[in-house]
Amino acid sequence: MTALIRHITVDCADAYALAGFWSEVTGYPRHPDDKPGDPASLLIAPDGEGPGLLFVQVPDGKSVKNRLHLDLQPTDRKRDEEVDRLIGLGAKLVDDHRKGDGTGWAVLADPEGNEFCVERSLGERA
């Protein structure tokens, strides 16, 4: 027997706002019933089959490094262009592992401090 990953869930202070940030990052649309102030907000995988991103409001703030994080690979731009775009959306650069030869990755944090990585695009890996 196996199990499918239905949602990747992120605890947060403002579910609707953080889902908005991640919707801009991934292109995943919001669930049509979500509205500001809801205790949870769901982003739906564009294919309707992959796991959704579920944001759930919790009373406690983030206090330590994530034990699980997402690694993002840009689909229509280079890694450094994507890092700049995400910073423009409100992410912060946490740690920079990019190297002069074009390899490496950047660690960013979303507006609530959840870390994620941005890797090279497929074109940059070719």
Side-chain angles (χ1 to χ4, degrees):
M1 291 200 147
T2 62
L4 297 175
I5 297 173
R6 182 165 177 234
H7 299 128
I8 298 169
T9 303
V10 178
D11 290 350
C12 57
D14 186 337
Y16 190 83
L18 196 57
F21 169 83
W22 281 100
S23 179
E24 291 292 323
V25 170
T26 63
Y28 283 30
R30 290 183 188 271
H31 188 280
D33 295 336
D34 287 354
K35 58 189 178 300
D38 284 348
S41 190
L42 177 63
L43 301 181
I44 302 163
D47 63 8
E49 295 183 21
L53 295 174
L54 178 62
F55 299 86
V56 178
Q57 190 169 311
V58 297
D60 47 318
K62 182 180 178 302
S63 60
V64 297
K65 183 182 180 300
N66 296 14
R67 296 288 305 259
L68 173 76
H69 69 266
L70 302 177
D71 289 343
L72 305 179
Q73 183 178 57
T75 58
D76 60 353
R77 60 184 56 92
K78 294 181 177 182
R79 177 201 57 211
D80 294 347
E81 294 168 333
E82 182 68 351
V83 168
D84 290 343
R85 182 181 83 88
L86 298 177
I87 290 171
L89 292 173
K92 292 188 177 14
L93 183 65
V94 173
D95 203 2
D96 199 338
H97 296 277
R98 295 177 283 183
K99 298 179 181 162
D101 65 359
T103 61
W105 66 95
V107 180
L108 281 75
D110 70 18
E112 290 202 15
N114 300 298
E115 297 92 359
F116 61 96
C117 294
V118 180
E119 300 179 349
R120 294 178 298 156
S121 67
L122 284 177
E124 290 173 288
R125 292 172 183 270

